[in-house]
Amino acid sequence: MRIVRALVLAALAAVAGYLLLFGGRTGAGPGRGRVVVRYWEKWTGKEAEQMMQIVDDFNNTVGKEKGIYVQYLSMSNVNQKTLVATAAGVPPDVAGLWDTQVAQFAAIDAVEPLDDLAARHGITADYYKPVYWEGCRYDGRLWALVSTPAAVALHYNKRLFLERAKELRAAGLDPDRPPRTLDELDRYATALDTFTELPGGKKQIARSGYLPMEPGWYLAYTGYWFGADLYDEKTGRLKLDDPKMVRAFEWVKNYSVRLGKDSMTEFRSGFGQFASSQNPFLVGTVAMEQQGPWMANYIENLKPSMNRWRFPKEKEKGLPLASRQANYEWGAAPFPAADPALGDVTVAPFDTLMIPKGARHKEEAFEFIAYVNRQDVSEKLNALHCKNSPLRKVSDAFLRSHPNPYIAVFERLATSPNARGVPPVPIWPEVADELGVAAQRVYLLEAEPAQALADAQKRLQEKLDEFRKRQRIRAGGERE
Amino acid sequence: MTRAERYRLANGLAFLSPWLVGFVVFLLVPVVLSFYYSFCDYSLLQAPAFIGGGNYRELAADPVFWKSLTNTLVYAAMALPAGLLVSLGLALLLNQRVPGQSVYRTIIFLPSLVPTVASAMLWLWLFNAKLGLINTLLETAPFRAAIGGLNGLLGLLRLPPLQTPIGWLTDPTWALPALALMSLWGVGHTVVIYLAGLQDVPRELYESAELDGAGAWRRLRNVTIPMISPVIFFNLIMAIIGTLQVFAVPYIMTGGGPARATYFFTMYLYDNAFTYLKMGYASAMAWIQLLLVLALTAVAFWSSKRWVHYQSK
C-alpha cells in the first residue's frame, strides 16, 4: 500500500515539476523576444476575427519593426474584467471599452491620460471628427482613442414604401423618398401602419410604420432631435427635465396613445432578436427605424436578398453609387429633427481603446492604438466592421468600396455640428439607465413625460452631487 | 499534549487546511472587508475613503432602493407560500402508491435539472404575449368562458376586467406575478425533500388514526403535517433565503423591466457594484440584505416553537 502511495505521489510531483519547468508562460509563442502588449476586447464572432486581422497586420509590420507583439483576447463583460484586473494590479495594456465609460473610468482614475502620447504621434483634435474627439475627453484631458465609431440614421424599407404608395400619396407624401421632417415621419408612419381585423371587431397591429421604442437603443438621446442638451458642463448640472426633453418624450408617448399601449406591447412581443433573421426590420413588420451603419452588414448576413433587390451582387461592381443604392431594398437618411433648422442631427456612439491605470507597457500599447488610428488602418477596420471613419480625412476609396452603400450619409452625419455623443458625466451609465426607465414609464403610460423626467432629474442630480462631494472628500478638501 | 496528539492535530489541520484556507480567504475576509467598505466610498480603483454612515443615509433616500426592496418582498410574498404549497401538494401526490410512481417523480424533478438560462429562454416564449403557449391556451373556448365569468364577477365588484391577451412580461401589473408563477418550475428539489420527510412518518400513526376513524383530511392535518413540520420548516428557511436573493431569472428574462416592475434588490446591488462602480454602496446593500434574511429567519425560528414538532420531543 505504501509503495502505491509513494508511486502516486512521485507521479504527481513529476507532473508538477514538468509544468513548472516547461508549462505555458508569458513571453512564449510568436511574441518571444518582443514586448507583449495584452489587448482585451469586447468583440466576439466575425467582429473579433476582423479585429484579429488588424492585430496580425500590426504584429507582422510595425510590431515586428519595433519589437512589439499584441496578444488579442476577446471576452464578455470586458469593462468589469478590466476594472477588476486593474484593481488587482494586473491590467491589460489596452482595453477595448465603450464611449459611456470614458468619463466614468477617467473620474475614478481607472485609465491613463493619453494627451502626451497622442501629441507625440501627431494625433490631435484636427485629426479627428470633433464629436469623437470630444467624446474621448473628460475634464480637459484625453483618455481614449476610437477604434470603431458610428452615427445613427433613419433606415427605411423601400419595398414597404412602394407597397403603400397609394396611402402615402393620399396623405400627400412621396413614396420614393424618406421623410425629411419629424412631422413628415409621423405621417409616413401612420400611412405605413397596417392592421388585422380579429373576430369580434378587434384590431391587431400587423405592421408599424415607425416605433420610437424599436430598437429603442437611443431613447435616452431622443432630446437631441428636439435641440435638447442633457448636461450643462459649465454648471455641472444635468438637464433631463429640460422642456425640449419633455417635448421629445411627449412625442414618444404619442405613439403609444395613437396605436394603443396594449396593442403596441402585444405587437412588440412578437418581435425576434436584433441579431436574428426574425429582426422586425428585416421581416418587414417595422418599416422605419433608427440604426447605425452596421445594419448593412447584419442585413447581408441575415437577409441578403434585401441587398440584392433588383439584380445580382456581381453586377454592382463598377456601378455609380446611385445605381448601387437602387439594388438595396432599404435606404438610410438623416433622422429628421423636430426643428427644421436643426440639420443632420445624430447620436454618434463609438468603441474606444484605453490604457488601464498601471499597464506595464504604456508606450508600446499606444504604438498599437496609434496604428489602429492610422488612416489606412482605421479605414480597413471600419470597412470590415461596416462603420464610418472617426477621422476628418476620408479617402475616396473608403467611400467607394464600403459595404454600406449609404456610408456617405453616415460620414455626413458624423461630421455635422449637430452630431452629439455621450455627455461627459462621470455617472453616465446610471443616468442612461434612469433615462431608459423614464422612457419606459412614458411609453407604457405609467407617468407623464414631465413627471418621469422630473423624477429622473431629481434622483440623478442628487447622485451626481453626492459623487462630486465624495471626490472632494477624497481629495481632502471637505469633510462628510 | 503528547507527541502523538500533536501529530494527530497536525494531520487533522493539514487535511482541514484546503477548506480552512478557502473559508478564510474567499469568505471570512471578504465578509469582514465588505462590512468595512459599507462605511466607505469605494470604487475598486481608488483606496476606500471612510464616510461613516453616508452609504446607508443615501440608501434611505434612494427611491430605487425602496422600489427594489418592495419588489423583492412582494415577489417573496407570492413565490414563497406558492412554492411551499405546490411542492407539498406534489410530494403528497407522488407519495401515493400508484403504477408509474417513479416515472411521475422523475417528471416532476426533471425541470430542476434544466440550466437557469435554458429555463428562462423557455419561459420567455411561454409568456410571450402574442405567440406564447399560455396566452394561446387562454384564447381557447373553456378559458374564454372562465375569463368571461371572472370578468362578470369583477364587474359586480366594480373592479376593472381582465384584459386579454395578457402581457405577462411586458405589462408592469403582470410581470412580478409571472415571475412568481415561473418560480414553481423549479420546485423539484423541495418536492424530493418533502418526499423523504413523508416516508419517515411512521405507518403506525396512520393506522391508529384510521382506527380512531380519521379520514384523509384529518390524517393529513393531524398526522402528516405535524410529523413533517421540521421538513416544512427547513424548506421555509431555504425559501426565505432563495426568494430574497432572486437574481438570474429576472436578469435574463426582463432585465428588471418593464419600468422597474421586476427590478429586484440583488439586481440593484449588482448594478451598483459592477455597472456604477459603487462597491461601498453595494456593500451597504449586501449587509441590509443579510440583516433582512436574518430577521425573517429569526421570526421563522421564533414562530417554529408553536408549529414545528420533533419526534424526539
Side-chain angles (χ1 to χ4, degrees), chain A residues 271-459:
Chain A
F271 291 178
Q273 300 279 323
F274 168 74
S276 76
S277 50
Q278 298 308 310
N279 178 311
F281 184 73
L282 303 193
V283 295
T285 41
V286 171
M288 297 184 282
E289 68 174 29
Q290 278 186 339
Q291 275 298 347
W294 52 74
M295 198 61 184
N297 247 4
Y298 279 92
I299 294 173
E300 182 65 23
N301 294 329
L302 299 169
K303 200 178 178 192
S305 62
M306 285 181 86
N307 286 352
R308 292 152 181 81
W309 194 25
R310 303 291 187 203
F311 43 85
K313 199 82 181 158
E314 305 78 60
K315 287 195 180 172
E316 264 187 50
K317 277 184 187 164
L319 285 179
L321 203 58
S323 311
R324 267 185 72 201
Q325 287 174 354
N327 196 27
Y328 290 73
E329 201 177 301
W330 57 278
F335 192 89
D339 179 358
L342 284 171
D344 290 348
V345 180
T346 191
V347 181
F350 59 91
D351 296 298
T352 72
L353 294 173
M354 297 194 221
I355 301 182
K357 197 82 179 173
R360 274 187 237 164
H361 308 297
K362 273 185 278 184
E363 299 273 342
E364 291 82 358
F366 197 82
E367 282 291 346
F368 173 67
I369 294 175
Y371 174 80
V372 175
N373 276 271
R374 224 171 68 183
Q375 190 187 346
D376 57 332
V377 179
S378 174
E379 288 185 358
K380 178 178 176 180
L381 173 63
N382 285 303
L384 287 169
H385 274 219
C386 201
K387 291 172 182 167
N388 53 287
S389 166
L391 310 180
R392 280 186 197 245
K393 237 169 103 180
V394 180
S395 72
D396 286 342
F398 178 70
L399 297 174
R400 240 188 356 257
S401 59
H402 199 282
N404 187 328
Y406 292 94
I407 195 62
V409 172
F410 297 94
E411 282 292 335
R412 192 178 110 194
L413 284 168
T415 319
S416 155
N418 290 322
R420 313 286 293 277
V422 171
V425 179
I427 60 160
W428 183 254
E430 208 167 350
V431 178
D433 282 354
E434 191 69 35
L435 275 175
V437 171
Q440 282 183 22
R441 290 177 70 198
V442 165
Y443 71 68
L444 291 169
L445 308 181
E446 296 267 304
E448 285 300 318
Q451 187 58 52
L453 288 166
D455 292 348
Q457 170 71 24
K458 183 177 178 297
R459 179 167 178 265

